Amino acid sequence: MGNDYKIDRRGFMKQAASALGASTQAGLWPDLTAVAETSTRETPDVSYPRRFAGRQLKMIAFPLGGVAAGSLSLGGRGQLRDWEIFNRPNKGFSPAYALPSIWVQAGNSKPIARVLEARILPPYEGQDGLGSNNSPGLSRIQGATFTGEYPLANIKFEDPSLPVQVELDAFSPFIPHDADDSGLPVAILRYRVHNPGRSTAKVGVAFSIDNPVKPEPRMGGAARSVQDSRLNEYRKAGELEGLLMSNPSVPAGDPLQGSFALAALTSDHAAISYWRGWPQGRWWNSPMLFWDVFSRDGQLQNEPELRNAVGAVCQQSSIPAGGSANFTFLLSWNFPNRTPDWCGWSAPPGEGNTVIGNFYATRFKDAWEVAQYTAANLEKLEARTRAFSKAFGASTLPSVVKEAASANLSTLASTTCFRTADGEFHAFEGVDDHIGCCFGNCTHVWNYETATAYLFPSLARSLRKAAFGYSMDEAGAMHFRQLLPDGKARSGFAAADGQMGQIIHAYMDWKLAGDNEWLATMWPRIKKGLEFAWVPGGWDANRDGVLEGVQHNTYDVEFYGPNPMCGIYYLGALRAGEEMARAMDDTASANEYRRLFRQGSSWIDSNLFNGSFYIQKVRGFRADEIAPNLRSDMGSGNTESPEYQVGGGCLIDQLIGQYLAQVAGLGSLVAQEHVQSTLQSIYKYNYKRSLAEHDNVERTFALNDEAAMVICDYATAPRPRIPFPYFAEVMTGFEHSTAALMLYSEMVEQGLESIRNIRSRYDGEKRNPWDETECGHHYARAMASWTSVVALSGFHYDGPRASVVAVPRVPHNVFECFWSTGTGWGTFSYRPVATRGTQLTLRVLAGKLPCRWCEITGTGATTSVRSNGHTYSHTVKQSEGRTTFQMEQVLVLDQGSDLTLEIHT
């Protein structure tokens, strides 16, 4: 294979030898676990799938909804919470009633009725106790166990007083590479009831929801007197039956105008009944009268003439002894009027109330159409979703790596992300409780994540389109926050780390897909963005390969003078630029980028490495020496003696450029031994096994006896009097990216320990496992957790060359793992063969994978290549314990295809 990826061979062999013996390079995961257990950690392991019970159910809010289409969350008890379907965040909100309930009559015994949720957990106090919303005083199920492996959730309800066993499967379609069918605004709830008794059990399951299509009482500071004209209409289409909820009194362009559907997907044996509203009444008459009828009959006959807006749909079925039945409900929504002001996105002057829309609303006119499409295609949608979940879950990676990566994928379905009516993908950094937080697809935050590139490449390209599109000005400055509507104005300035990271991401997008036409259209803008560093008064004005200038960055201030974070990022961008330039036959640019890379890399190693890690050399500048669009109003006011600097501190992401370069296959940007020393220093200084004595006056994301890596540590150098913001904080995105680089760099034990510490803090009791926070909920940077999957899998794809490297960074005599590229996804596996040889099988489950070269572990006297029943001629090269197969021509492996390579000793 190409030299760029050979960096890891020596480390791989060393790791294999130390773990299990170089002679066999074999083993199973218990052996790897034993290696990890030699750590001094006391943090318990994290399972996959992860299970929660008791007090750990308290904080769970599992997002259900489409990618970039809004969500409502499934609570740990089975309740619906955090209804965030109205074009902006809405933490803590749910309709007055969103009530699943079950009725059971076994034989001729007395019926039993329960709210189909586990019992409410403490605390129980409030101004009205627990109040009356959702009837907390109605009897509920005794307990529950919640199992989460995003995008799938399962709840097993436990109650010995019920004569049946009940569990809930909940999900929304999530299909890598299919952003449209993964972007359906729908939640699927399937209650499965098993009758273990000796007599037939009659079971009714009802869902009651207060029509959520309501205007805000106040908007824009002025009172809005909108009559409550909520409308619940009965609809039926084939096996789909239920209620479409709307409100014609909400103005047509209002962000809250839209519809919601509560529908049952019926079976041949279920009887459907419904009420378009509970009986109208004062005080608490309405829920009381509903419960009187349901708890008596287990169905909803004789719809009341005078109704309120709480619609209900009920399914009733008789389940024979030993039998089971499913009760499936679809909850869907459609709110087309997203505006920048409403969701918290900055807009050009006068455009704040312009409707930028939602892409899903261009596919479906209302929520009922969403439900119809889902019902008609549910078998296929669910099969594809479960195929991904199965392939990922079967990966023989450490459980905590899978759990962390899986959990943070839920951010894509949170209100952090959305697609406008034109189909483009946009995202906040995270979200506050009721408004988006930090708009603009912020480049210096979204650079850290790799999930979109691997799982939804069309969304990754959309981010690149924004960054290299109108957001880049005529000089080449990439204004790192995009305004919407696009193309009318730009935000204020450029970020050095954001700009360099986007160049590396563009390279990665190209490599993963092998799309030379796409690169040809992007290259002029990429080149312009890279060479912006050279403008007078800019980041590298003297073109020496070192960023000495004023560098705005992800810490929301400017770093003055050479520093490892932005400087090594620049080296990565130069390497990426060189490779793309050569592909575009731009030899002069490629040679210049190579010159600057070599010069800059040497200078950083010689001048910023202090013997243990890299530091910043602070330099001041007169204000008139600084190019336009480089400074914010958040950093130092004094540019000649700047505050808010790193100085001699050990910064957690000083190697962030190397992190992205590893994922992209660009090789070492600085001396590998310095990378190793730096990571060991971060583990020594930044990693705190307990935060009980760590003092932090800033935002607190971890505390007490929790273990974490802090942003910057000054154990070996005086702390600046005014250091940069966030230096004492703990933020999971930085921890994930650093842990992933450790996994790439022969520090598997330490990397796993760091990931385990993060996920142990998100345990369901202290924090929601599906909401890693930073500047807001569902923070995008935490999707760097996906990189650990890529790192340990050792699967690297070079699309332009149609070449695969499949060499896991863990023992893999028997091994299976998920893989994905820009063109497809599937699994690959290692198995021993009878002749003490090795067999690798690569399967394509979706899309395609062009392949001409494939590098795997092992060497031997004879080799073979088979695909779909055919044998293929090939040549091999063997070196350092690996074999590279070269086929005579490119094999295009389509969905359902496999490729088997064997080495016999």
Side-chain angles (χ1 to χ4, degrees):
M1 306 306 295
N3 291 332
D4 294 340
Y5 210 67
K6 290 185 179 179
I7 171 178
D8 297 313
R9 295 189 184 205
R10 181 180 61 182
F12 163 78
M13 296 301 293
K14 188 185 299 181
Q15 177 183 309
S18 64
L20 295 171
S23 61
T24 60
Q25 206 274 297
L28 302 176
W29 278 115
D31 298 309
L32 179 67
T33 303
V35 173
E37 292 296 337
T38 62
S39 165
T40 59
R41 68 171 179 82
E42 297 180 359
T43 306
D45 208 352
V46 175
S47 64
Y48 188 83
R50 198 171 181 184
R51 293 176 175 83
F52 307 85
R55 294 182 302 178
Q56 290 183 318
L57 302 175
K58 179 70 178 180
M59 298 298 293
I60 288 175
F62 184 99
L64 296 173
V67 169
S71 65
L72 47 82
S73 291
L74 179 67
R77 300 184 296 104
Q79 81 278 26
L80 295 181
R81 54 177 292 182
D82 298 344
W83 288 53
E84 301 180 281
I85 62 177
F86 309 105
N87 292 313
R88 69 179 184 186
N90 215 7
K91 294 296 179 194
F93 171 79
S94 63
Y97 294 94
L99 196 71
S101 49
I102 186 170
W103 176 93
V104 184
Q105 184 178 32
N108 296 319
S109 62
K110 182 180 178 180
I112 299 173
R114 297 279 189 271
V115 175
L116 195 40
E117 303 170 354
R119 292 174 184 170
I120 294 172
L121 298 167
Y124 301 136
E125 67 178 11
Q127 67 175 28
D128 297 312
L130 291 178
S132 61
N133 282 0
N134 230 40
S135 300
L138 286 177
S139 54
R140 282 166 162 78
I141 305 294
Q142 187 179 84
T145 299
F146 188 106
T147 301
E149 48 178 329
Y150 190 83
L152 306 176
N154 173 271
I155 299 178
K156 284 186 169 61
F157 296 100
E158 301 144 9
D159 194 331
S161 68
L162 278 183
V164 295
Q165 298 164 351
V166 187
E167 62 181 287
L168 167 63
D169 284 321
F171 69 98
S172 297
F174 188 94
I175 306 158
H177 287 223
D178 189 343
D180 291 356
D181 273 356
S182 296
L184 299 175
V186 67
I188 299 155
L189 306 173
R190 180 181 296 124
Y191 296 91
R192 181 172 177 81
V193 181
H194 174 67
N195 176 16
R198 297 182 177 180
S199 57
T200 297
K202 187 179 291 186
V203 177
V205 178
F207 223 117
S208 303
I209 293 180
D210 187 18
N211 182 327
V213 188
K214 299 170 65 175
E216 272 200 324
R218 303 178 67 87
M219 186 175 184
R224 297 201 300 172
S225 57
V226 179
Q227 181 182 359
D228 187 357
S229 301
R230 288 179 290 169
L231 179 65
N232 297 342
E233 302 173 86
Y234 169 72
R235 295 287 182 89
K236 179 174 172 55
E239 295 182 344
L240 190 71
E241 193 168 354
L243 303 175
L244 176 63
M245 301 178 173
S246 62
N247 191 341
S249 66
V250 179
D254 194 305
L256 289 172
Q257 175 55 270
S259 56
F260 184 87
L262 164 60
L265 192 56
T266 63
S267 67
D268 294 337
H269 306 294
I272 301 295
S273 55
Y274 65 91
W275 283 356
R276 285 171 289 174
W278 285 355
Q280 198 173 80
R282 298 177 180 177
W283 295 95
W284 300 286
N285 296 348
S286 295
M288 178 183 68
L289 294 173
F290 160 76
W291 197 250
D292 285 347
V293 172
F294 179 74
S295 61
R296 182 189 67 218
D297 302 331
Q299 55 184 331
L300 301 175
Q301 302 297 337
N302 302 318
E303 183 182 54
E305 292 187 12
L306 297 177
R307 303 181 293 270
N308 65 13
V310 182
V313 176
C314 179
Q315 304 183 58
Q316 189 181 86
S317 185
S318 292
I319 306 176
S324 301
N326 291 332
F327 300 81
T328 303
F329 293 89
L330 306 184
L331 310 183
S332 58
W333 54 92
N334 192 313
F335 292 87
N337 298 323
R338 177 183 295 273
T339 67
D341 281 359
W342 176 258
C343 69
W345 198 280
S346 290
E351 299 284 351
N353 290 318
T354 298
V355 174
I356 54 179
N358 286 308
F359 176 69
Y360 70 73
T362 67
R363 300 182 64 195
F364 309 105
K365 72 176 182 181
D366 59 25
W368 187 257
E369 280 199 357
V370 176
Q372 279 187 286
Y373 178 85
T374 304
N377 295 279
L378 183 57
E379 183 177 355
K380 179 176 64 175
L381 294 169
E382 182 170 3
R384 295 170 71 199
T385 298
R386 292 189 181 276
F388 162 67
S389 182
K390 180 180 179 181
F392 182 74
S395 299
T396 44
L397 298 174
S399 293
V400 70
V401 170
K402 295 189 290 184
E403 195 276 335
S406 164
N408 281 298
L409 290 181
S410 65
T411 294
L412 295 171
S414 74
T415 47
T416 295
C417 307
F418 61 94
R419 292 175 72 186
T420 42
D422 57 7
E424 299 298 337
F425 179 74
H426 307 279
F428 296 95
E429 295 180 25
V431 292
D432 291 341
D433 287 351
H434 302 294
I435 202 75
C437 180
C438 305
F439 75 98
N441 325 323
C442 178
T443 57
H444 61 61
V445 168
W446 276 84
N447 277 347
Y448 287 71
E449 69 86 24
T450 56
T452 54
Y454 282 90
L455 298 182
F456 294 102
S458 65
L459 304 185
R461 288 192 179 192
S462 184
L463 291 174
R464 242 57 74 211
K465 180 180 178 180
F468 291 97
Y470 188 80
S471 293
M472 181 182 286
D473 66 22
E474 293 76 10
M478 184 185 293
H479 297 240
F480 66 91
R481 296 192 189 275
Q482 180 192 31
L483 301 180
L484 290 176
D486 190 33
K488 297 186 177 183
R490 299 183 181 93
S491 61
F493 48 96
D497 57 344
Q499 189 144 337
M500 298 305 142
Q502 284 295 295
I503 292 167
I504 302 174
H505 267 282
Y507 172 80
M508 194 186 324
D509 293 342
W510 167 57
K511 280 288 190 175
L512 283 171
D515 189 342
N516 291 327
E517 291 184 8
W518 177 81
L519 179 61
T521 63
M522 294 289 291
W523 174 240
R525 304 290 287 177
I526 294 170
K527 180 178 178 179
K528 190 173 190 177
L530 181 52
E531 296 180 3
F532 172 74
W534 309 338
V535 301
W539 299 322
D540 183 18
N542 61 356
R543 290 175 69 164
D544 64 352
V546 180
L547 296 191
E548 302 102 340
V550 177
Q551 304 150 56
H552 188 81
N553 61 74
T554 199
Y555 295 109
D556 297 323
V557 294
E558 290 74 47
F559 288 167
Y560 286 68
N563 65 87
M565 187 181 83
C566 297
I568 297 175
Y569 242 144
Y570 180 40
L571 298 181
L574 288 168
R575 278 289 295 114
E578 177 194 350
E579 295 296 325
M580 290 184 282
R582 295 198 190 285
M584 294 292 101
D585 294 325
D586 188 348
T587 304
S589 294
N591 291 340
E592 176 67 358
Y593 302 156
R594 167 57 73 170
R595 179 189 72 81
L596 292 176
F597 164 74
R598 286 176 172 167
Q599 186 172 321
S601 178
S602 176
W603 192 95
I604 287 175
D605 275 327
S606 299
N607 293 274
L608 298 188
F609 189 72
N610 70 358
S612 297
F613 55 88
Y614 294 93
I615 61 172
Q616 178 193 15
K617 299 285 190 181
V618 180
R619 296 182 184 176
F621 297 87
R622 297 192 317 271
D624 62 3
E625 295 178 310
I626 304 170
N629 295 322
L630 297 188
R631 290 180 62 206
S632 69
D633 59 3
M634 297 180 285
S636 181
N638 184 341
T639 63
E640 297 184 43
S641 298
E643 297 177 322
Y644 305 118
Q645 304 301 297
V646 175
C650 184
L651 182 65
I652 190 172
D653 62 338
Q654 58 189 281
L655 295 175
I656 180 62
Q658 185 63 66
Y659 155 84
L660 270 189
Q662 289 285 49
V663 182
L666 287 168
S668 293
L669 303 179
V670 288
Q672 184 62 30
E673 59 270 24
H674 292 176
V675 170
Q676 206 72 26
S677 175
T678 297
L679 289 172
Q680 291 166 353
S681 296
I682 291 171
Y683 185 75
K684 179 179 180 179
Y685 299 119
N686 299 62
Y687 176 33
K688 314 296 181 184
R689 287 173 173 77
S690 170
L691 293 170
E693 297 185 8
H694 173 69
D695 292 329
N696 169 29
V697 299
E698 302 165 335
R699 301 171 303 179
T700 301
F701 298 106
L703 72 166
N704 298 338
D705 60 353
E706 294 179 320
M709 283 193 284
V710 300
I711 296 297
C712 192
D713 184 87
Y714 288 96
T716 64
R719 193 205 77 190
R721 178 177 177 273
I722 305 294
F724 69 100
Y726 320 135
F727 78 96
E729 292 185 356
V730 169
M731 293 183 269
T732 68
F734 297 100
E735 291 180 283
H736 279 302
S737 58
T738 302
L741 186 54
M742 289 177 175
L743 299 181
Y744 274 113
S745 305
E746 304 177 37
M747 294 177 65
V748 172
E749 175 190 335
Q750 295 89 337
L752 293 180
E753 183 180 3
S754 299
I755 300 168
R756 191 180 295 110
N757 289 334
I758 298 168
R759 295 307 298 165
S760 294
R761 302 198 300 262
Y762 287 81
D763 65 354
E765 181 179 2
K766 294 181 290 187
R767 300 173 183 85
N768 177 17
W770 289 275
D771 179 8
E772 289 193 16
T773 56
E774 188 182 313
C775 185
H777 299 281
H778 309 290
Y779 202 76
R781 198 186 325 257
M783 286 191 289
S785 53
W786 186 261
T787 309
S788 293
V789 174
V790 179
L792 284 185
S793 76
F795 190 94
H796 179 81
Y797 186 62
D798 185 336
R801 296 187 70 239
S803 67
V804 171
V805 175
V807 182
R809 288 181 173 81
V810 290
H812 51 275
N813 185 47
V814 176
F815 181 81
E816 183 159 347
C817 196
F818 175 85
W819 63 264
S820 55
T821 68
T823 60
W825 55 271
T827 62
F828 73 99
S829 61
Y830 273 90
R831 296 289 184 272
V833 294
T835 56
R836 293 193 304 163
T838 297
Q839 178 190 85
L840 177 132
T841 300
L842 192 154
R843 295 179 177 87
V844 179
L845 300 180
K848 63 181 180 179
L849 185 71
C851 180
R852 188 174 186 192
W853 285 270
C854 189
E855 183 174 334
I856 69 173
T857 302
T859 59
T862 61
T863 59
S864 64
V865 175
R866 300 191 310 274
S867 178
N868 301 328
H870 300 283
T871 300
Y872 289 91
S873 300
H874 62 282
T875 59
V876 298
K877 292 182 180 179
Q878 299 185 340
S879 176
E880 299 182 33
R882 300 187 187 185
T883 297
T884 299
F885 292 75
Q886 180 178 345
M887 277 59 83
E888 290 185 346
Q889 59 188 13
V890 175
L891 302 181
V892 179
L893 306 175
D894 294 316
Q895 180 173 324
S897 297
D898 59 59
L899 174 67
T900 298
L901 310 178
E902 287 190 359
I903 303 171
H904 300 273
T905 59

